[in-house]
Amino acid sequence: MTIFPFTEATPIQFQQPLPRTSDVVIIGGGVIGVTTALFLARRNVSVTLLEKGRIAAEQSSRNWGWIRQQGRDADELPIVIEAQRLWRQLAQECGEDIGLKQTGVTYLARTDKEMAGFAKFLKIAQAHGVDTRLLDQGELASLIPAMSRLFKGAMITPSDMRAEPW
Ligand SMILES: Cc1cc2nc3c(=O)[nH]c(=O)nc-3n(C[C@H](O)[C@H](O)[C@H](O)COP(=O)(O)OP(=O)(O)OC[C@H]3O[C@@H](n4cnc5c(N)ncnc54)[C@H](O)[C@@H]3O)c2cc1C
């Protein structure tokens, strides 16, 4: 049973005796430790995952959940593209709903300077085949008709995703 939010009263679920030997010992059962353990185990590497509290009970279960390509540094973007592929794969393999949705991400610009920043990222996105595009005022108004404030425009990446952190 999954209990969220985690508290001191949340039962500790995994407390098997420690193995005598292990190829790899990972300290920390957040998303980084758990997925590292998963990928090593798939390669038949024996792994011990040590968590001082409860699995995923710290930052990994309470972030905003975005799996975002938009606005990334040029060197980061290929990593996020690969992360998207892995999240889709995890969603199929997990056997339960991890809340993965392709919602897209939109950034709004108040100034021309912000729009110029978006245009810089657009070039990076296009070089990697990512579907980012810029919206002018009219396109933004069609996308969010109820918006009361006037913005210069926006940048949108429809393929960006979100998963449920907990
Ligand atoms: C406000 C906010 C919003 C965010 N939004 C996003 C987002 O939208 N998308 C995104 O991708 N990222 C987001 N992040 C970043 C994301 O949450 C982190 O990058 C990620 O959770 C880090 O995972 P982790 O496994 O390294 O750390 P953690 O989840 O913190 O896990 C570390 C684990 O190590 C354990 N530990 C620590 N010391 C020891 C020890 N000595 N012995 C044993 N165990 C130990 C802890 O108990 C903990 O469980 C956000 C971060 C913040 C702060």
Side-chain angles (χ1 to χ4, degrees):
M1 182 169 59
T2 310
I3 302 163
F4 188 81
F6 297 95
T7 69
E8 294 277 300
T10 305
I12 292 173
Q13 285 178 286
F14 308 100
Q15 30 194 353
Q16 288 87 349
L18 291 176
R20 290 174 61 82
T21 63
S22 196
D23 292 329
V24 176
V25 176
I26 297 172
I27 301 173
V31 67
I32 300 298
V34 170
T35 50
T36 302
L38 173 67
F39 281 82
L40 286 171
R42 279 180 179 160
R43 291 179 183 209
N44 293 322
V45 177
S46 67
V47 191
T48 302
L49 178 63
L50 302 176
E51 168 52 52
K52 68 172 169 55
R54 289 147 188 85
I55 293 292
E58 307 243 348
Q59 188 54 34
S60 294
S61 56
R62 58 189 181 216
N63 63 65
W64 295 327
W66 294 109
I67 303 156
R68 171 179 57 79
Q69 305 159 102
Q70 177 156 288
R72 295 285 179 185
D73 183 89
D75 294 331
E76 264 185 320
L77 188 54
I79 300 171
V80 187
I81 292 170
E82 174 65 1
Q84 282 210 343
R85 187 185 71 76
L86 292 174
W87 276 102
R88 282 199 190 91
Q89 194 179 306
L90 275 176
Q92 287 182 346
E93 291 169 349
C94 272
E96 61 181 287
D97 184 7
I98 62 165
L100 189 70
K101 290 193 172 71
Q102 198 159 50
T103 55
V105 163
T106 307
Y107 288 177
L108 308 179
R110 291 189 191 88
T111 62
D112 289 330
K113 196 175 162 199
E114 283 176 319
M115 280 306 287
F118 292 169
K120 269 191 197 161
F121 175 74
L122 182 64
K123 285 199 183 128
I124 297 172
Q126 285 171 340
H128 288 87
V130 175
D131 57 352
T132 305
R133 57 180 204 273
L134 302 187
L135 306 180
D136 62 22
Q137 261 178 354
E139 289 166 319
L140 179 58
S142 314
L143 182 73
I144 313 176
M147 194 153 57
S148 55
R149 246 181 95 176
L150 200 60
F151 286 86
K152 288 274 174 185
M155 171 166 73
I156 185 168
T157 301
S159 59
D160 271 349
M161 304 194 296
R162 193 180 174 277
E164 181 51 53
W166 78 262

